[in-house]
Amino acid sequence: MKTTELIGYSRRKVKGRRREVLFICLPPIFAELFFRLAEASVYSLMLYFGTLKPAGLFTGESIEQLVIAVVFTFIRWIISAPLWCAAAVRLIEFAGDKDKKSLFSDMLLSGRFIWRSLSSFFMCRLISTVSIAPAVISGIYTVSLLSSSADSRQLFIASNTGALCIVLFFFWIFLKISMTSVPFLLAEYPEKSGIGTVFMSFRFMRGRKKMFVGVGTVFLIPFITIIAIPFIIPEIASAYAVGISIFFKEDEYARSFQPERRKRRLSARKIRQRGET
């Protein structure tokens, strides 16, 4: 399915149900915003009482600021990860027109659900950090070479490290897109472990990344305007959910077709064996 056809179909599906989809997406978004605002409030108090200089917000020279940033980051991750997975469950039910409507409270009170969401989230973070580290190192090295009085040899090295930085950056984007299906896979395969679902997403997204890139590109400009965000969130969420739901059905059809194809091969082999005898 083309991106335009997918968006058109999801818009027809979300028509009259925008509020429902918006309310599904709001809990994790509000959790992210709440803890970011709380972190900013703590920094404001530190600036007010003189324990932190304004430049320290960007240089990271204050140990207290680094500790607060790490603490708030982990709290935000721990709270928001189960909420994002719960939202993915509801979106998959919405896209698949399932009669069953899972409750946020039931999911968030399940120890297995929370553990799967947290383990998958931290594994995605670990893979993302490890994959972006070489790009950051090569970029810093390139900037340091260009900022100094570089000769022709250093400029040659800087051009190569700069090109390597760009290649590694696109490789990081490739991995990030491959992991966007993790919350939906957790919803579709509740028997899978969180870490196993992360590695499953790389196989699942093989040849399907174009859908995520296309949908994100279409909604990028309206999303930048900020004013249109409440209207864009239901559309982009439903488009992603419908696309993932279609991929699930494709895989289900392929699995159901394989045994029939295997039976045909076995029967053809038996016919040949009988003919030889």
Side-chain angles (χ1 to χ4, degrees):
M1 180 179 288
K2 296 181 180 178
T3 303
T4 53
E5 296 175 349
L6 174 63
I7 294 175
Y9 175 73
S10 65
R11 279 178 174 170
R12 292 192 297 270
K13 197 174 188 63
V14 81
K15 187 177 181 180
R17 303 178 66 184
R18 290 177 180 272
R19 186 178 299 177
E20 176 186 350
V21 178
L22 181 62
F23 285 161
I24 292 173
C25 301
L26 283 182
I29 295 175
F30 279 166
E32 293 270 356
L33 292 177
F34 174 80
F35 287 104
R36 289 190 180 276
L37 290 174
E39 184 180 358
S41 299
V42 175
Y43 294 155
S44 299
L45 291 174
M46 294 175 67
L47 289 172
Y48 179 79
F49 290 106
T51 57
L52 179 66
K53 296 179 180 179
L57 291 172
F58 307 98
T59 59
E61 60 187 19
S62 174
I63 300 298
E64 293 83 358
Q65 182 211 354
L66 292 177
V67 171
I68 291 171
V70 170
V71 170
F72 271 100
T73 299
F74 273 96
I75 293 175
R76 188 176 70 249
W77 289 353
I78 291 171
I79 298 298
S80 62
L83 290 174
W84 281 117
C85 292
V89 173
R90 292 296 307 276
L91 287 173
I92 286 296
E93 292 173 351
F94 165 80
D97 291 326
K98 297 181 180 179
D99 296 332
K100 178 184 176 183
K101 300 295 181 182
S102 302
L103 297 177
F104 271 82
S105 57
D106 293 340
M107 290 183 281
L108 298 179
L109 291 175
S110 172
R112 175 172 169 76
F113 180 86
I114 294 176
W115 172 249
R116 292 174 69 238
S117 60
L118 289 177
S119 59
S120 62
F121 182 86
F122 281 103
M123 178 56 68
C124 290
R125 288 288 179 177
L126 178 62
I127 294 174
S128 179
T129 302
V130 171
S131 60
I132 194 62
V136 173
I137 294 172
S138 59
I140 293 174
Y141 184 66
T142 302
V143 173
S144 64
L145 286 176
L146 295 176
S147 59
S148 62
S149 55
D151 54 15
S152 58
R153 179 175 175 274
Q154 290 177 327
L155 287 175
F156 176 76
I157 297 174
S159 62
N160 283 273
T161 55
L164 178 63
C165 176
I166 295 173
V167 172
L168 292 173
F169 178 73
F170 279 103
F171 176 70
W172 172 73
I173 294 178
F174 172 84
L175 291 179
K176 292 286 286 184
I177 295 174
S178 298
M179 293 186 292
T180 50
S181 62
V182 170
F184 299 101
L185 290 171
L186 288 172
E188 186 69 14
Y189 301 99
E191 72 282 358
K192 292 280 186 179
S193 64
I195 296 176
T197 305
V198 175
F199 293 103
M200 181 184 180
S201 67
F202 292 104
R203 299 191 302 270
F204 178 78
M205 291 297 293
R206 190 176 301 163
R208 293 167 171 172
K209 302 175 187 65
K210 188 185 298 183
M211 186 273 288
F212 281 87
V213 176
V215 172
T217 304
V218 169
F219 291 105
L220 178 61
I221 295 178
F223 202 84
I224 292 175
T225 59
I226 299 179
I227 300 175
I229 287 180
F231 304 97
I232 295 301
I233 288 177
E235 291 200 5
I236 192 170
S238 62
Y240 279 138
V242 169
I244 291 292
S245 180
I246 292 172
F247 295 155
F248 286 154
K249 292 177 182 178
E250 290 177 352
D251 288 350
E252 184 179 354
Y253 175 78
R255 286 194 298 268
S256 63
F257 183 70
Q258 284 176 356
E260 295 295 330
R261 187 167 51 187
R262 185 178 179 182
K263 288 179 181 178
R264 293 195 196 101
R265 288 200 300 265
L266 290 174
S267 61
R269 187 181 301 173
K270 289 180 179 179
I271 293 173
R272 287 197 301 269
Q273 289 175 354
R274 290 175 181 175
E276 291 174 357
T277 57

